[in-house]
Amino acid sequence: MNVALLTVGDELLAGQTTNTNASWLAARLSDRGATVRRILTVPDERELIASIVARWHDDPEFDAVIVTGGIGGTPDDVTVPAVADGLDREFVVFEEIYDRLREKAAAFREENPELVADYDLQLDLEVAASLPEGATPIVVDEGWAPGCVVDGVYVFAGIPDEMRAMFESVADEFSGESVARTIYTPAPEGSLHDVLESVTNEFDVSVGSYPRSEQRPGRIRITGTTAESVDAAASWVESRVETVEPAFESE
């Protein structure tokens, strides 16, 4: 299963917020055997988001498109209507979502009377409850506005806790045959050329190398469609390069 990731947010491009969503999603998708083929970050511009969603949705290379960021109730939250534009669907109010948000807003006002008294809270419930026509809402306790799934396009919130909850609610829809192993080596990357070139000729796998640093050894990542081919390729590489244990368990 090939997946494209689109992360949305002016703050990401300005360096004000670290794009942890992209790396987290890529790791979770890879864990499930899916293959991430694209990762792109764009500003909060409705026409641009719509054009990319339309292009990726129609691209046979991608089985699914994930869009994260820019959903909520403020003027710069344009992602969901942009997805509707990109898929040529109406942007419509979902009554069950509207009723849920109205109850949440009432509960918030009741639980936070001082905050409500001090600030003019403008909650556009209709916008927050609107999704592309025909979409399946993704509602999680962690979030305010819902995400959604529509015709292979998954829209998640940008706030990491909300995004992760939304992904986990549909994680079973992502799968694949990709298998990977990582080999750690103290050898300089420049000394690995012949091995890296030869292993792809010997086995039906793809290989990436990542240079060492003072904090951790170099990495050789072997990816294939079967555990047998990846294990065989890994053994072949390990017999030809010096290996070490990873510097950190999380690697």
Side-chain angles (χ1 to χ4, degrees):
M1 182 179 193
N2 292 330
V3 183
L5 301 181
L6 180 64
T7 57
V8 177
D10 295 340
E11 72 283 359
L12 300 176
L13 294 168
Q16 297 171 336
T17 299
T18 301
N19 193 355
T20 58
N21 285 352
S23 58
W24 187 89
L25 281 167
R28 287 290 287 114
L29 289 163
S30 297
D31 287 344
R32 298 192 62 80
T35 301
V36 177
R37 302 292 296 174
R38 296 287 190 283
I39 297 178
L40 178 65
T41 302
V42 297
D44 296 290
E45 296 179 7
R46 182 168 173 170
E47 291 185 4
L48 177 60
I49 298 166
S51 68
I52 295 168
V53 168
R55 185 167 71 250
W56 285 1
H57 172 263
D58 293 337
D59 191 329
E61 182 179 5
F62 305 132
D63 300 301
V65 177
I66 293 177
V67 188
T68 176
I71 74 172
T74 57
D76 62 332
D77 290 325
V78 297
T79 297
V80 182
V83 169
D85 294 343
L87 299 179
D88 196 24
R89 294 181 179 234
E90 294 295 321
F91 187 56
V92 297
V93 176
F94 279 53
E95 294 299 332
E96 69 276 17
I97 301 297
Y98 180 84
D99 292 341
R100 173 182 174 273
L101 293 180
R102 184 172 57 184
E103 291 176 3
K104 286 192 72 170
F108 179 85
R109 290 190 173 95
E110 186 173 327
E111 294 167 4
N112 301 273
E114 294 183 0
L115 187 64
V116 173
D118 291 341
Y119 296 94
D120 180 19
L121 298 180
Q122 299 179 9
L123 303 176
D124 193 331
L125 299 184
E126 287 199 356
V127 170
S130 295
L131 298 170
E133 189 172 17
T136 299
I138 301 176
V139 177
V140 295
D141 292 338
E142 291 83 352
W144 166 250
C148 67
V149 184
V150 53
D151 201 13
V153 178
Y154 295 74
V155 185
F156 302 146
I159 298 173
D161 287 348
E162 298 180 20
M163 181 278 296
R164 295 178 184 190
M166 289 182 180
F167 174 81
E168 295 299 350
S169 72
V170 295
D172 288 345
E173 298 179 25
F174 296 91
S175 62
E177 298 179 349
S178 179
V179 180
R181 274 188 59 184
T182 300
I183 297 169
Y184 299 88
T185 177
E189 190 176 31
S191 69
L192 302 173
H193 181 274
D194 289 345
V195 170
L196 297 177
E197 185 176 69
S198 298
V199 68
T200 55
N201 294 328
E202 294 286 337
F203 303 93
D204 185 20
V205 296
S206 60
V207 178
S209 67
Y210 309 93
R212 63 181 183 173
S213 67
E214 293 183 1
Q215 291 76 34
R216 65 183 181 187
R219 291 169 291 158
I220 301 172
R221 186 170 176 84
I222 301 172
T223 305
T225 57
T226 67
E228 292 77 12
S229 64
V230 171
D231 288 343
S235 297
W236 189 91
V237 170
E238 289 171 338
S239 70
R240 288 163 173 79
V241 302
E242 182 182 359
T243 63
V244 294
E245 293 298 314
F248 305 104
E249 292 184 3
S250 61
E251 293 183 338

